[in-house]
Amino acid sequence: MDTADCIVIGAGALGLASANALARSGRRVIVLEQHNAIGTEISARSSEVIHAGIYYPTNSLKARACVEGKSRLYRFCEQYAVAHKRIGKLIVATSEDQLPQLHALKVQGDANNAGGLQILTAKDVRKLEPDLECCAAIYSPTTGIFDSHALLLALQGALEDQGGQLALSTRVTNLSFTGHDYLLTMEDGYQLKTPRLVVAAGLHTNKLLSGIDEATLRAIPPLYMAKGSYFTLSGKAPFSHLIYPLPERGGLGIHLTLDLAGHARFGPDVEWVNAIDYSIDAKRGEKFYRNIRRYWPGLPSGSLHADYAGIRPKLVPKGAPAGDFYIYQKGQASNLQLLAFFGIESPGLTSALYLGELAALAMGKYLSRE
C-alpha cells in the first residue's frame, strides 16, 4: 500500500491550487481526479470572470477570499502567461425602483475593498456602451476575464514542477479513518493512505465524507444544487465591458460576458436541481431574451444558441439568503488531519489561489513541526 504525505481529492482549480501550496512545503503531494482530465466540472463550466468582490457580506470568507484571490489570480496569470484581460464590468439598474439596491450594492462593494467602484448616470453609461439601456450603473474597473483552461494547465504544470503528482481516472469510492491515517480505496480496489487529506471534490465532497465516522458526518452540511445554463450570441456583441443586472436569489442574474476573442455569452440562469445533469433545455432561451432585453433592447431574435451548463454547490436551499464558503477541519490546530471545502461556488475560481493557501497554512501548522 502506497503512502503520501498529503493527498488532495479533486483536480479542479481549488484542488490544484491547494496541492500547489502544499507542495511548496517540500512534502509529497498526490492529487486524485475521478475524470480523465482536470477541471471538467465546476471549474470548466463558469463565466471565466475574475470577480472584484462586490456582492458578499463584509468580513465573510467569500468577500475576503474574492478580494485576496483576485490579486493573486492576476499575479499568477502574469507569471505563467495565462491569457487574461482587465476588462471592467457594469452592473445596471434598469428601472428607477432598482436605484436603492444599486447604491446599497456599491456601499457593500466599497466596504469589501472591491476596488475603485463608481456610480455612473445613464448618460455616462451611454458614452461607454451606446447600446446599453439603464437608469444608472456601478462601474467595476478591476473585474476581468481569463482563460480558465489555461489556468488549470498552469496550475498542473506548477504542481508537477514542485514534484507533485496527478492521477487522472482515479475515483475514490471509500474513505475511512484508521485512527492515525486516512485510507482511500479506489474504484479498482487500489488503496492509498495518508495522515493529511484535503477534499476539494466540489459536488462530490458530501458523499465522499459521509462514510468516514459519525463526528465527520454530523459536520457535513446539506448539499443543494443550482444549475445554470449559458447561451452564446451569434454575431458580434456591441459591448466592450461585461454587463450584469442586479443580483437575484441564487445567482448574479443573466449577465453578458465576453471571452478573450470578444465573443459574447449570456448566463447563467438559476434552476434548482436534485441530480447532476449538464444538458440544456433550449426553451430556457425564452427567459434569456426577456431578461437580456431589459438592458439590451436591441438583442436580435433568433441570435441566442444553447451552449453549456454548470452546477453550483449550495449550502442553502432555494429562497434562502446566499451562504458563505465553508471549510471543515478535523484535528487539533497542531495536528490537522482533514480539511474539506463546501459550497465553493462563484467566486470560487477567483478565490481558488487564496483558499488553497488557507488549506496549506492550516496543514502547515502540522507540517512545520516535523
Side-chain angles (χ1 to χ4, degrees):
M1 183 185 302
D2 202 0
T3 302
D5 293 325
C6 305
I7 290 178
V8 177
I9 302 178
L14 180 55
L16 291 172
S18 299
N20 264 288
L22 286 162
R24 287 197 294 270
S25 69
R27 298 289 172 155
R28 184 187 177 205
V29 181
I30 300 176
V31 180
L32 307 180
E33 168 56 49
Q34 66 173 328
H35 298 297
N36 62 3
I38 58 176
T40 61
E41 293 196 0
I42 297 172
S43 295
R45 297 173 175 274
S46 74
S47 300
E48 295 186 304
V49 171
I50 301 175
H51 291 282
I54 299 169
Y55 302 95
Y56 321 109
T58 304
N59 297 322
S60 66
L61 179 55
K62 270 188 181 180
R64 186 169 73 254
C66 186
V67 173
E68 295 288 342
K70 173 181 62 176
S71 298
R72 286 163 172 76
L73 182 52
Y74 275 125
R75 289 198 299 269
F76 186 91
C77 288
E78 289 286 351
Q79 181 180 356
Y80 290 91
V82 175
H84 67 287
K85 186 175 182 181
R86 203 177 296 237
I87 196 172
K89 174 171 75 174
L90 292 165
I91 305 172
V92 299
T94 56
S95 62
E96 295 286 340
D97 61 358
Q98 289 186 329
L99 292 178
Q101 183 184 358
L102 185 80
H103 285 274
L105 187 59
K106 202 268 188 180
V107 171
Q108 180 72 67
D110 288 341
N112 292 349
N113 195 28
L117 303 179
Q118 304 171 43
I119 293 286
L120 303 183
T121 66
K123 183 178 179 180
D124 294 331
V125 171
R126 280 194 294 273
K127 290 178 182 177
L128 291 176
E129 300 287 5
D131 290 84
L132 184 58
E133 185 72 29
C134 68
C135 298
I138 296 171
Y139 174 57
S140 169
T142 64
T143 300
I145 55 177
F146 71 111
D147 184 338
S148 62
H149 302 285
L151 172 69
L152 290 162
L153 290 171
L155 286 169
Q156 178 184 349
L159 172 65
E160 292 171 344
D161 284 346
Q162 296 172 98
Q165 296 176 274
L166 170 66
L168 299 174
S169 301
T170 305
R171 188 166 76 90
V172 179
T173 56
N174 187 65
L175 277 176
S176 60
F177 184 57
T178 65
H180 181 265
D181 294 316
Y182 283 93
L183 178 64
L184 292 74
T185 303
M186 315 305 160
E187 193 170 30
D188 61 0
Y190 180 73
Q191 292 184 315
L192 275 170
K193 67 177 181 178
T194 181
R196 308 165 195 95
L197 177 65
V198 175
V199 183
L203 299 167
H204 311 284
T205 296
N206 298 61
K207 184 177 180 181
L208 275 170
L209 294 181
S210 63
I212 292 180
D213 53 42
E214 286 298 320
T216 302
L217 180 60
R218 287 193 298 271
I220 297 174
L223 171 66
Y224 305 96
M225 295 187 290
K227 181 177 179 179
S229 297
Y230 290 84
F231 283 71
T232 54
L233 177 73
S234 60
K236 185 172 175 59
F239 301 105
S240 58
H241 300 81
L242 308 183
I243 311 297
Y244 278 56
L246 284 166
E248 60 184 41
R249 287 285 190 186
L252 300 182
I254 295 175
H255 48 265
L256 177 151
T257 58
L258 301 169
D259 64 19
L260 291 160
H263 301 129
R265 59 176 169 246
F266 295 90
D269 60 354
V270 180
E271 177 188 2
W272 294 87
V273 297
N274 296 316
I276 299 174
D277 176 7
Y278 296 115
S279 62
I280 302 176
D281 181 358
K283 292 180 180 178
R284 300 191 72 81
E286 298 171 6
K287 177 184 177 182
F288 277 66
Y289 281 105
R290 289 195 305 271
N291 287 16
I292 295 165
R293 282 173 174 153
R294 293 172 185 166
Y295 57 84
W296 183 23
L299 173 65
S301 298
S303 61
L304 297 181
H305 306 280
D307 191 4
Y308 63 96
I311 296 177
R312 304 185 286 279
K314 297 280 189 178
L315 297 182
V316 295
K318 179 179 179 180
D324 200 0
F325 294 155
Y326 172 50
I327 303 177
Y328 170 67
Q329 301 180 38
K330 182 180 179 181
Q332 289 77 39
S334 61
N335 188 1
L336 188 64
Q337 296 169 302
L338 170 65
L339 185 146
F341 293 100
F342 293 93
I344 311 299
E345 52 169 330
S346 179
L349 268 178
T350 303
S351 305
L353 292 171
Y354 176 75
L355 293 175
E357 288 178 11
L358 288 186
L361 179 62
M363 290 287 181
K365 293 175 183 176
Y366 183 31
L367 295 177
S368 62
R369 295 171 62 247
E370 301 183 337

